[in-house]
Amino acid sequence: EEVKPDSNDYQPVASLAIEAEKELTSSVIDRSMIDEELAKAHALMKATVDETYLQDLDTSSSSNLKIRVIQLASEMNERAKWEAVRLKEFLAMKEKEVGE
């Protein structure tokens, strides 16, 4: 015999979904708080990257310094490529917004 679920079985899930929707639609996102958190995260990341790239510069050999310069140049090339992709996507999005 097939057992069919009772409609009451879905009640907790439905009420949870309704509560979550209310919370999401009623919450106000404070842009300044988000911007502040992003700035902190960016500063921490920059400090970590700087520390990684700048450690042992005084004691590195000439060949190690050449390797590090090549790595940095390669990374800058890669960043520039992705920045161009992001810029292209941004411009396409803005053109679409203006067209509407």
Side-chain angles (χ1 to χ4, degrees):
E1 178 179 325
E2 184 179 337
V3 177
K4 294 185 180 181
D6 186 7
S7 63
N8 290 333
D9 292 342
Y10 297 110
Q11 192 61 30
V13 175
S15 64
L16 182 61
I18 291 170
E19 286 177 32
E21 181 183 12
K22 286 180 185 177
E23 183 178 330
L24 288 173
T25 56
S26 68
S27 65
V28 177
I29 298 175
D30 184 7
R31 289 298 282 171
S32 63
M33 185 178 83
I34 291 173
D35 292 342
E36 185 179 316
E37 290 298 317
L38 284 174
K40 285 180 186 177
H42 181 72
L44 179 61
M45 181 187 70
K46 186 176 180 337
T48 303
V49 168
D50 287 348
E51 181 182 321
T52 302
Y53 286 137
L54 299 177
Q55 72 186 22
D56 301 329
L57 286 181
D58 294 333
T59 58
S60 293
S61 68
S62 171
S63 59
N64 283 343
L65 290 174
K66 288 178 186 177
I67 290 169
R68 193 165 295 174
V69 167
I70 292 169
Q71 289 172 335
L72 290 172
S74 176
E75 184 175 328
M76 292 303 298
N77 187 26
E78 191 70 18
R79 285 185 186 186
K81 178 179 74 173
W82 287 110
E83 187 62 30
V85 169
R86 284 191 292 273
L87 179 61
K88 184 178 177 183
E89 290 173 352
F90 175 77
L91 291 174
M93 181 181 68
K94 288 299 177 184
E95 286 176 356
K96 185 178 176 183
E97 285 179 9
V98 170
E100 292 178 350

